[in-house]
Amino acid sequence: MKRIVFLDYVRVFACFLVMLVHAAENFYGAPGSTDMAGPQSLLLSEADRLWVSVYDGFSRMSVPLFMIVSAFLLAPMKEGQSAVEFYRRRALRILPPFLLFMVLYSTLPMLWGQIDSETSAHDLSRLLLNFPTLAGHFWFMYPLIGLYLFIPMISPWLARVSAKEERMFIWLFALSTCMPYLNRWCGELWGQCFWNEYHLLWYFSGYLGYLVLAHYIRVHLNWSTGKRLAVGSALTAVGAVWTILSFYVQAVPGVLHETPVLEIGWSFCTINCLMLTAGAFLLFTCIQKERTPRVILQLSDLSYGMYLMHIFWLGMWTSVLKGTAGLPSVAAIPAIAVCTFLSCWLSCLVISWLPGEKWVIGTAGTPASKSAAVSAA
């Protein structure tokens, strides 16, 4: 199968944005929270309010971009491939590293006193139920695996659906992404009530919409490069401004905020995040190189392992750059993200040369990516 070059760029970009999001969370978590934002948020200054809004808000396309990349490559399933074979290949690719890091996040932090033995034992006892206390970023794995589980079910429909029918699904999905705002302004609607969460658009909502959008772009969208650039730029700009302002206008410094209320526009299935993600992805589709540059290829291949481990490095760099160095948020947030990204890259690079590396970071490494390791070093 020919490598789709622009997807490598998307993976690397999205991987860095995930780290930028989590770097920013250190500047609005309420006292006593972990490196991830907790149920309540507190901004200490106008500068933190501005730069958390900008850096974190713009980066909220990261998770949907990962969803779109997976869907772009995997949906519909290859002709003749069974659901069992599809599940087996996906499970071998993602589950061993995921389970390994679940154990690591449940145990290693005891070495530097971040958790105690009781918390460790509790996390280990619940590994089959949910992510560990210090691995909040692993929430993403569950909807991703959910999409994988659903791909064999939706593949027959995707294989025969017309562009018009698929556009109808996408429009209904887009309407469903307006519901967080409609709920805020209008209360319960379209069948919602305290005993029923399955509203009118339930079956068109969630990350499945990004899967269908990815398929539509790959199969049915025949826009010129110029049109993709124009529409992509407009969607990205509007989506970014909306997403940034949705946080900024509410985040009054010195006031304790409820995080779900403050982050209403940062939910990944909101209309503004959909615009931001779709626009950015369209811009990336304009990359028309025949080959992926070796460093980008290497980073793309290592991105899963980098995502899995990055919270370990993020905490250290936050302590150094925010705590010891005392950098202001305008510099500290990107610096933490860049240092975390580079540390994860080098760590995965070392692991990629070891036997059985695919069970640790999810890739055996391509010859091109491994040769890039030499030149990068």
Side-chain angles (χ1 to χ4, degrees), residues 89-166:
R89 290 173 64 89
R90 291 294 92 204
L92 290 175
R93 167 73 171 86
I94 66 170
L95 290 185
F98 177 46
L99 294 174
L100 172 63
F101 274 90
M102 291 267 276
V103 173
L104 292 177
Y105 279 105
S106 300
T107 55
L108 281 186
M110 284 194 297
L111 297 178
W112 49 87
Q114 198 171 7
I115 60 173
D116 56 26
S117 58
E118 184 179 350
T119 301
S120 176
H122 177 265
D123 286 348
L124 289 170
S125 71
R126 290 177 51 84
L127 285 187
L128 296 180
L129 301 177
N130 215 338
F131 52 81
T133 303
L134 296 182
H137 62 304
F138 280 0
W139 73 267
F140 163 76
M141 295 301 299
Y142 298 90
L144 178 67
I145 292 170
L147 274 188
Y148 289 165
L149 290 173
F150 201 70
I151 283 176
M153 317 302 170
I154 200 173
S155 286
W157 179 75
L158 289 175
R160 64 175 179 79
V161 68
S162 68
K164 184 178 180 180
E165 292 170 324
E166 204 162 349

Side-chain angles (χ1 to χ4, degrees), residues 18 33 42 53 122 143 163 186 215-216 225 250 260 271 290 347 370:
V18 167
S33 66
L42 179 67
S53 300
H122 177 265
C186 306
H215 179 266
Y216 182 84
T225 299
Q250 301 181 88
I271 184 64
E290 289 294 320
S347 300
K370 286 196 171 184

Side-chain angles (χ1 to χ4, degrees), residues 48-60:
D48 288 355
R49 177 190 190 185
L50 173 62
W51 294 110
V52 167
S53 300
V54 171
Y55 289 131
D56 204 333
F58 177 78
S59 302
R60 288 287 158 162

Side-chain angles (χ1 to χ4, degrees), residues 158-276:
L158 289 175
R160 64 175 179 79
V161 68
S162 68
K164 184 178 180 180
E165 292 170 324
E166 204 162 349
R167 281 197 300 273
M168 184 178 76
F169 186 104
I170 293 169
W171 280 115
L172 290 171
F173 164 59
L175 181 58
S176 79
T177 64
C178 299
M179 290 189 67
Y181 295 107
L182 293 174
N183 288 147
R184 173 77 70 87
W185 299 326
C186 306
E188 296 171 333
L189 67 156
W190 299 336
Q192 290 175 320
C193 51
F194 75 87
W195 69 84
N196 177 56
E197 60 184 310
Y198 304 104
H199 54 77
L200 172 70
L201 296 175
W202 179 270
Y203 303 104
F204 297 91
S205 62
Y207 297 105
L208 180 62
Y210 285 110
L211 183 151
V212 177
L213 177 63
H215 179 266
Y216 182 84
I217 291 173
R218 181 168 67 85
V219 175
H220 298 298
L221 198 69
N222 56 4
W223 290 352
S224 66
T225 299
K227 187 172 183 179
R228 289 175 186 242
L229 283 171
V231 175
S233 298
L235 286 174
T236 302
V238 173
V241 171
W242 185 342
T243 308
I244 290 166
L245 288 179
S246 70
F247 186 93
Y248 182 82
V249 297
Q250 301 181 88
V252 179
V255 176
L256 197 62
H257 299 276
E258 296 298 318
T259 302
V261 175
L262 186 61
E263 292 188 348
I264 183 174
W266 285 4
S267 298
F268 300 112
C269 293
T270 51
I271 184 64
N272 49 287
C273 199
L274 171 59
M275 295 170 66
L276 177 61

